[in-house]
Amino acid sequence: PEDDADARKYKPDSETWSWEAEFTSYEIQAALAKLYASGGNGLERNAELAAEWYRTAADEAMAAGKGKLSAAWYKEADKLGC
């Protein structure tokens, strides 16, 4: 059986759950970039902010040794033309 503390760590309704347990900061940044790039979910489309977030995510991914992922996000930023 799982320790209750470990089980609570991954439940969003738990006080101990955190985004970091599920996603890296660069994944969250890239998701935000995608939202800004397309608009939606209450966010107005903003290519400049999207490009900035893609580059931030790419920089962090590169620092984490995720070169291919980083290159993909740099490419997305470049496609936005900002």
Side-chain angles (χ1 to χ4, degrees), residues 35-82:
L35 285 173
Y36 275 120
S38 62
N41 290 333
L43 236 61
E44 189 173 320
R45 186 178 187 282
N46 187 322
E48 286 183 30
L49 275 176
E52 184 178 326
W53 279 113
Y54 272 128
R55 287 186 190 102
T56 299
D59 290 345
E60 287 197 22
M62 184 63 79
K66 303 292 184 184
K68 289 182 182 179
L69 190 56
S70 178
W73 287 333
Y74 282 126
K75 186 176 179 179
E76 289 298 318
D78 290 343
K79 282 199 281 186
L80 292 167
C82 300

